[in-house]
Amino acid sequence: QVQLVESGGGSVPAGGSLRLSCAASGYTYSSNCMSWFRQAPGKEREGVAAIYTGSSFTTYYANSVKGRFTVSRDSAKNTMYLQINSLKPEDTAMYYCAAARASHRCYFPFSAAAYNDWGQGTQVIVSS
């Protein structure tokens, strides 16, 4: 059974930092696309960062988070990370990780339909 488990969320003041983790089990992801999405109350789910590690190493970021978010992967641990710096109140949301099983790069990194497996989410709350 495939499982993606997020952790690392919390409540922090604006300007703070968090490191989210997404641990995968039941399936070894390699040479595929993984991503982080978030969903704030009353808003649609949006992709914020994605990463492909295969023959090349490529990351993707939404404009709203460029320069503040950094996505990375540890293939040996089957874990993806999201380092979030300079947090803003508008970053408050439930953060989800997602993984595609197909072994190809991220053609549509921020399209939810591109991903097969999802975690349950970890809450990030940023106070002003």
Side-chain angles (χ1 to χ4, degrees):
Q1 182 180 356
V2 177
Q3 270 197 318
L4 296 176
V5 180
E6 301 96 334
S7 62
S11 182
V12 296
S17 298
L18 285 172
R19 188 192 194 207
L20 308 184
S21 298
C22 171
S25 62
Y27 187 88
T28 299
Y29 297 101
S30 62
S31 302
N32 69 321
C33 184
M34 295 185 71
S35 70
W36 288 96
F37 282 72
R38 68 184 182 185
Q39 187 166 20
K43 294 188 177 181
E44 293 186 356
R45 188 173 297 192
E46 64 169 343
V48 294
I51 185 168
Y52 167 75
T53 54
S55 57
S56 62
F57 176 88
T58 310
T59 56
Y60 309 81
Y61 296 98
N63 288 335
S64 59
V65 306
K66 280 181 181 177
R68 299 189 299 119
F69 287 24
T70 303
V71 60
S72 61
R73 283 175 69 170
D74 184 334
S75 296
K77 296 182 178 180
N78 219 15
T79 300
M80 177 176 64
Y81 303 96
L82 185 67
Q83 178 68 42
I84 310 176
N85 298 327
S86 302
L87 277 158
K88 304 177 180 180
E90 51 263 43
D91 294 320
T92 295
M94 186 71 80
Y95 284 71
Y96 301 89
C97 66
R101 299 194 191 185
S103 296
H104 58 62
R105 61 187 179 91
C106 305
Y107 291 114
F108 303 101
F110 300 138
S111 171
Y115 300 94
N116 305 98
D117 301 303
W118 292 81
Q120 293 301 306
T122 185
Q123 181 72 52
V124 172
I125 299 173
V126 184
S127 57
S128 57

